[in-house]
């Protein structure tokens, strides 16, 4: 009896499923198997495999797949590099590594998109490189690429890690001016920036008030950072009140709270 053989479409679909599940090792195995079967592979199947490596925090493996694409003369695209740069962020790669991939994109005349910049800004932020994160944001504006909520959240987070609390608060206002509604992540990142920037308790409490006015339920990060800012500012009564509110909303305090 004849057997049904998997097609390239089959392999691509299964590798995509592996990517969603973070099963990078299985995705690589299937990629090698499809290569062995002699299929004319496309960017789509390689991108799915790189995405699996990215979700599995396997930057080196993702880069190996990219180089395999190069050796087979299969063109990479923005989707390819978006996954690579996102993998850089997930493993906490140094800024120079992120830069190298952005430069490679440019040399290959691959235009970055909002996802590219979001991944890069997040990676720079995780690396503690506020200067490059801000520069990437400025480049977006020059290229007429409209930032979204994720862009701002990543940049606010980067500002916080660099103790640039004023920049973080300014970015929150800029979001609204550009027609974007800050979410719980936006506010929590800005409040954390205020806490890290010398315990700016007045600003932290003000942002917590803004969350309430916007009907956004503060999370444990927002509450804890505000409490910590109050503690640094010697505002123990406010800290106790916020802790009580936190508990009344069913938000479990963490070690910082």
């Amino acid at each position: 009896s004849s057997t049904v053989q998997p097609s390239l479409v089959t392999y691509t679909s299964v590798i995509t499923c592996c990517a969603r599940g973070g099963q990078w090792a299985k995705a690589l195995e299937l990629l090698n198997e499809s290569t062995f079967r002699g299929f004319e592979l496309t960017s789509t199947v390689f991108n799915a495999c790189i995405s699996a490596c990215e979700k599995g925090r396997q930057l080196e493996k993702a880069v190996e797949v990219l180089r395999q694409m190069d050796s087979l003369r299969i063109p990479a695209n923005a989707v390819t590099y978006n996954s690579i740069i996102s993998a850089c962020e997930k493993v906490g790669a140094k800024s120079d590594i992120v830069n190298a991939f952005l430069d490679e994109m440019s040399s290959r005349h691959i235009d970055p998109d909002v996802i590219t910049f979001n991944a890069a800004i997040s990676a720079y932020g995780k690396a503690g490189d506020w200067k490059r994160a801000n520069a990437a944001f400025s480049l977006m504006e020059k290229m007429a690429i409209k930032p979204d909520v994720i862009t701002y959240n990543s940049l606010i987070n980067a500002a916080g890690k660099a103790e640039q609390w004023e920049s973080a608060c300014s970015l929150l206002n800029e979001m609204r001016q550009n027609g974007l509604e800050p979410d719980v992540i936006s506010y929590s990142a800005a409040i954390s920036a205020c806490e890290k920037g010398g315990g700016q308790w007045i600003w932290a409490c003000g942002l917590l008030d803004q969350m309430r006015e916007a009907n956004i339920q503060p999370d444990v990060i927002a509450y804890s950072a505000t409490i910590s800012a109050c503690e640094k500012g010697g505002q123990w009564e406010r800290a106790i009140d916020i802790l009580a509110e936190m508990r009344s909303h069913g938000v479990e305090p963490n070690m910082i709270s």
Side-chain angles (χ1 to χ4, degrees):
S1 60
S2 62
T3 57
V4 178
Q5 296 296 323
S7 66
L8 178 58
V9 174
T10 309
Y11 276 103
T12 303
S13 297
V14 177
I15 290 172
T16 300
C17 288
C18 290
R20 289 173 183 158
Q23 300 296 316
W24 62 271
K26 189 63 181 177
L28 289 173
E29 180 186 324
L30 290 167
L31 179 66
N32 290 334
E33 189 178 311
S34 62
T35 303
F36 179 76
R37 285 179 174 268
F39 290 120
E40 286 191 22
L41 303 180
T42 64
S43 299
T44 304
V45 67
F46 278 99
N47 286 346
C49 196
I50 290 172
S51 178
C53 293
E54 173 257 321
K55 288 179 173 59
R57 300 172 182 268
Q58 299 293 320
L59 176 59
E60 289 185 6
K61 295 294 183 183
V63 175
E64 285 178 13
V65 176
L66 173 61
R67 299 307 169 219
Q68 187 179 349
M69 291 178 74
D70 293 341
S71 67
L72 295 172
R73 299 185 181 280
I74 295 172
N77 53 32
V79 175
T80 316
Y81 281 96
N82 290 351
S83 291
I84 293 284
I85 294 169
S86 183
C88 290
E89 185 273 335
K90 282 186 168 61
V91 303
K94 293 181 180 178
S95 293
D96 288 343
I97 296 175
V98 180
N99 269 10
F101 288 118
L102 289 173
D103 289 344
E104 194 172 297
M105 282 186 79
S106 179
S107 68
R108 296 183 177 196
H109 305 291
I110 299 171
D111 292 331
D113 55 21
V114 66
I115 298 171
T116 314
F117 280 107
N118 287 351
I121 290 169
S122 184
Y124 288 138
K126 196 166 186 178
D129 197 338
W130 161 246
K131 186 177 179 180
R132 279 178 170 160
N134 201 33
F137 184 72
S138 297
L139 182 58
M140 284 184 78
E141 294 179 327
K142 289 179 182 176
M143 296 181 70
I145 297 173
K146 190 175 181 180
D148 57 16
V149 172
I150 295 171
T151 314
Y152 277 102
N153 288 353
S154 298
L155 194 59
I156 292 168
N157 190 53
K161 289 188 176 179
E163 299 183 3
Q164 300 288 327
W165 67 273
E166 290 173 306
S167 294
C169 292
S170 176
L171 286 164
L172 199 64
N173 289 329
E174 188 180 310
M175 284 182 75
R176 300 189 192 95
Q177 291 168 5
N178 289 338
L180 297 172
E181 287 298 322
D183 58 15
V184 66
I185 297 171
S186 317
Y187 280 107
S188 296
I191 291 171
S192 293
C194 291
E195 183 271 329
K196 288 171 184 160
Q200 303 296 328
W201 67 271
I202 295 175
W203 282 85
C205 289
L207 290 173
L208 198 66
D209 286 339
Q210 287 181 29
M211 291 185 79
R212 299 185 189 105
E213 289 167 7
N215 292 318
I216 298 173
Q217 174 59 49
D219 60 7
V220 66
I221 296 171
Y223 277 126
S224 298
T226 306
I227 290 169
S228 180
C230 289
E231 180 269 325
K232 287 180 180 179
Q235 301 294 314
W236 62 271
E237 290 180 330
R238 284 179 182 270
I240 290 172
D241 288 344
I242 294 167
L243 181 61
E245 179 190 327
M246 187 177 180
R247 287 172 172 156
S248 71
H249 285 289
V251 180
E252 286 297 319
N254 59 16
M255 289 181 69
I256 297 172
S257 313

